[in-house]
Amino acid sequence: MKRVVIEGSQWGDEGKGKITDYFSQKAKIVVRFQGGNNAGHTIVFNGQKYALRLIPSGIFHKGTTCVMASGMVINPEAFLEEVEVLKSAGFDTSKLMVSDRASVLFDYHRTLDGANERALDKGKIGTTGRGIGPCYTDKSARIGLRMGDLVNKTTLEKRLKNAVEFKNRELKSFGLEELNFKEVFKKYSALGEKMKPYVTDTATFLQKEVKKGTKILFEGAQGAMLCLTYGTYPYVTCSSPMANSIPLSCGIPCSSIDYVLGIAKAYTTRVGEGPFPTELFGDFADELRERGHEYGTVTKRPRRIGWLDTCVLRHAGAISGISGWAVTLLDVLTGVDEIKVCDKYVYEGKDVYTIPATLEEYEAYEPHYITLKGWKEDISKAKTFEDLPKNAQKYLKTIEKLTGIPIALFSVGPDRKQTVVLTDPFAD
Ligand code: IMP
């Protein structure tokens, strides 16, 4: 396999960072294809913890090229800060490429993200507040700026003037202070200068590498249920974390994808508002949250906790064509007496196996569970499937059976070494 995708299969925070880091050792190029600094990957190695929001995890491997593709929204200030942190920790950032077609996320996008949320009041989405939605909105409204515009003073001046006019009307409607074009231009033309060494035509670069048969890892952010089209709309992000969006976001042919690794946490979490049929409340949910350190990497918000929902996994699997699962945080379930798995929903007395289009309907779905016996043995040192207690093996087998997709690997702790690979997606 040459081109492998890491896709979150739930509502994000499935532990993609660790799995991406693991496989980026095998790839020559690691690509992020959507989202912005709403994502937060935590990677642990050599006892050190690193948090990345924008830059692909491949940056930790010497010689790996990291690409931030056209489908991303990039806050240049946040990007340059991340570069500085990595540089001062001794990592090489010279092989970092930013697409000239990626969208520029401005300060005013963050301001408007906050204003939109306040205006929605009780109906708020619970965004990360990083300006992601307003930036993608501008892209669709054709008043956004691309990285290629940012690094060219003449285009920047022209396009920014237009954008600021539009944004001032919007800010005014919220009763917020209007932007001073000269100030905004000054700040962003300076940032554009600093971005110059990184900005390039990544689509043409990737097309050539695909043709050559280079091993490429595509690193998804967020999760399938936060997809703008197939997620729990409107409680979603404004891009598609699904593998389907990669060809377009990267400018490569549809046939480029060889293997989609679906990352599924052994239970479910979600941050922000929106439906969550298998959600748990009370002491047990609190206990799992503490054990799994389930607090947002970006916003530090406590994550909502629930049982594993295989309807969600089948939904992601069917749309993205998931080839195998990476089950993460299996160790967090150690010591739980009885583990529940949602195999279907019940709606108006009927069994339902799929995710509906409307929120109102989804909110009325009742989860149906099968109950499995838990395990008490420490699994954190497991090196093979057979090292797992029988009940943990049964849990993984149940996921395979209910989704019809094999387990490719599972993870039993935060360290790189605590990963048991059954099928290597990059193997020939
Ligand atoms: P936005 O992406 O900041 O617009 O937020 C939209 C929704 O996606 C909110 O519910 C966020 O909590 C959620 N979200 C965005 N990024 C992540 C992530 O990396 N992990 C989990 N949830 C996320």
Side-chain angles (χ1 to χ4, degrees):
M1 300 289 174
K2 302 285 186 211
R3 272 114 19 203
V4 174
V5 179
I6 303 281
E7 175 181 311
S9 310
Q10 293 153 319
W11 278 278
D13 308 314
E14 297 92 351
K16 293 180 292 295
K18 179 190 145 164
I19 307 298
T20 310
D21 172 57
Y22 187 89
F23 286 108
S24 53
Q25 302 170 68
K26 303 189 177 220
K28 222 178 136 206
I29 304 172
V30 181
V31 185
R32 244 197 87 180
F33 54 95
Q34 44 77 228
N37 60 335
N38 49 347
H41 284 174
T42 311
I43 291 147
V44 183
F45 70 89
N46 293 342
Q48 193 72 22
K49 219 177 188 182
Y50 298 94
L52 291 180
R53 304 198 188 324
L54 279 163
I55 295 175
S57 318
I59 202 73
F60 296 121
H61 303 284
K62 213 171 162 39
T64 305
T65 300
C66 289
V67 175
M68 296 166 70
S70 314
M72 285 191 75
V73 289
I74 301 168
N75 175 333
E77 219 172 359
F79 168 82
L80 292 163
E81 270 170 27
E82 218 165 275
V83 167
E84 276 319 307
V85 170
L86 288 167
K87 270 189 184 166
S88 51
F91 295 105
D92 176 18
T93 55
S94 64
K95 288 191 153 202
L96 188 52
M97 300 166 92
V98 174
S99 169
D100 49 5
R101 284 182 169 85
S103 300
V104 182
L105 193 146
F106 290 89
D107 287 341
Y108 54 73
H109 290 128
R110 287 186 59 180
T111 311
L112 288 166
D113 198 355
N116 287 334
E117 286 283 87
R118 283 192 298 280
L120 284 167
D121 193 24
K122 287 201 178 76
K124 74 177 192 311
I125 308 297
T127 72
T128 59
R130 297 299 186 268
I132 307 299
C135 187
Y136 276 118
T137 305
D138 280 2
K139 177 181 179 177
S140 304
R142 294 166 289 193
I143 55 160
L145 274 81
R146 292 172 165 188
M147 278 294 161
D149 300 320
L150 183 75
V151 297
N152 177 325
K153 271 208 173 102
T154 318
T155 353
L156 175 66
E157 186 165 16
K158 191 171 132 214
R159 296 195 50 79
L160 192 60
K161 213 169 236 162
N162 183 46
V164 164
E165 259 174 45
F166 268 86
K167 293 296 112 180
N168 275 344
R169 281 200 286 276
E170 214 174 321
L171 290 165
K172 209 167 156 189
S173 74
F174 282 115
L176 293 169
E177 195 184 331
E178 291 182 43
L179 303 166
N180 175 311
F181 168 73
K182 275 195 180 146
E183 279 172 19
V184 182
F185 177 68
K186 192 173 165 213
K187 173 169 178 176
Y188 284 90
S189 53
L191 286 169
E193 279 305 307
K194 291 190 183 157
M195 289 299 297
K196 249 184 200 161
Y198 303 100
V199 177
T200 184
D201 177 1
T202 58
T204 304
F205 168 76
L206 288 172
Q207 286 153 22
K208 285 187 187 148
E209 295 298 327
V210 166
K211 266 203 182 131
K212 274 198 250 167
T214 304
K215 290 197 173 179
I216 306 178
L217 185 72
F218 296 93
E219 169 182 350
Q222 291 90 39
M225 294 300 277
L226 290 171
C227 170
L228 182 61
T229 309
Y230 287 101
T232 44
Y233 188 85
Y235 296 102
V236 292
T237 191
C238 283
S239 62
S240 176
M242 297 183 126
N244 310 58
S245 75
I246 293 173
L248 191 65
S249 297
C250 298
I252 53 173
C254 293
S255 56
S256 308
I257 308 300
D258 295 317
Y259 191 102
V260 183
L261 183 64
I263 317 299
K265 199 180 272 191
Y267 47 98
T268 312
T269 60
R270 151 159 227 180
V271 281
E273 316 301 317
F276 182 178
T278 62
E279 185 164 14
L280 292 162
F281 301 93
D283 293 347
F284 178 59
D286 293 343
E287 199 185 312
L288 277 190
R289 183 178 302 108
E290 291 313 312
R291 270 206 250 164
H293 309 289
E294 296 293 357
Y295 292 88
T297 324
V298 177
T299 59
K300 313 284 176 232
R301 287 179 289 180
R303 295 178 185 143
R304 296 158 67 190
I305 309 278
W307 293 118
L308 184 74
D309 185 339
T310 58
C311 300
V312 162
L313 299 189
R314 282 194 301 269
H315 182 70
I319 297 168
S320 311
I322 288 175
S323 322
W325 298 118
V327 177
T328 57
L329 291 110
L330 190 61
D331 53 304
V332 174
L333 292 182
T334 300
V336 177
D337 288 340
E338 285 190 331
I339 304 172
K340 290 187 177 187
V341 180
C342 171
D343 60 342
K344 62 184 174 188
Y345 305 123
V346 179
Y347 176 59
E348 294 182 336
K350 291 196 184 85
D351 291 345
V352 188
Y353 294 86
T354 52
I355 312 290
T358 70
L359 205 62
E360 286 68 20
E361 202 178 307
Y362 201 29
E363 274 165 351
Y365 279 21
E366 286 294 332
H368 176 275
Y369 292 110
I370 55 169
T371 305
L372 300 172
K373 283 215 169 72
W375 60 92
K376 291 201 165 42
E377 300 88 334
D378 175 18
I379 61 168
S380 65
K381 292 182 186 67
K383 296 272 178 264
T384 64
F385 182 76
E386 290 68 33
D387 287 345
L388 290 177
K390 284 280 169 284
N391 289 347
Q393 292 186 10
K394 201 165 170 207
Y395 188 61
L396 294 181
K397 287 280 166 208
T398 304
I399 299 172
E400 283 191 339
K401 195 168 153 224
L402 291 175
T403 59
I405 297 171
I407 307 279
L409 65 97
F410 58 91
S411 158
V412 291
D415 201 89
R416 259 188 199 176
K417 295 182 198 98
Q418 293 170 298
T419 313
V420 180
V421 179
L422 309 177
T423 304
D424 180 349
F426 274 119
D428 290 322

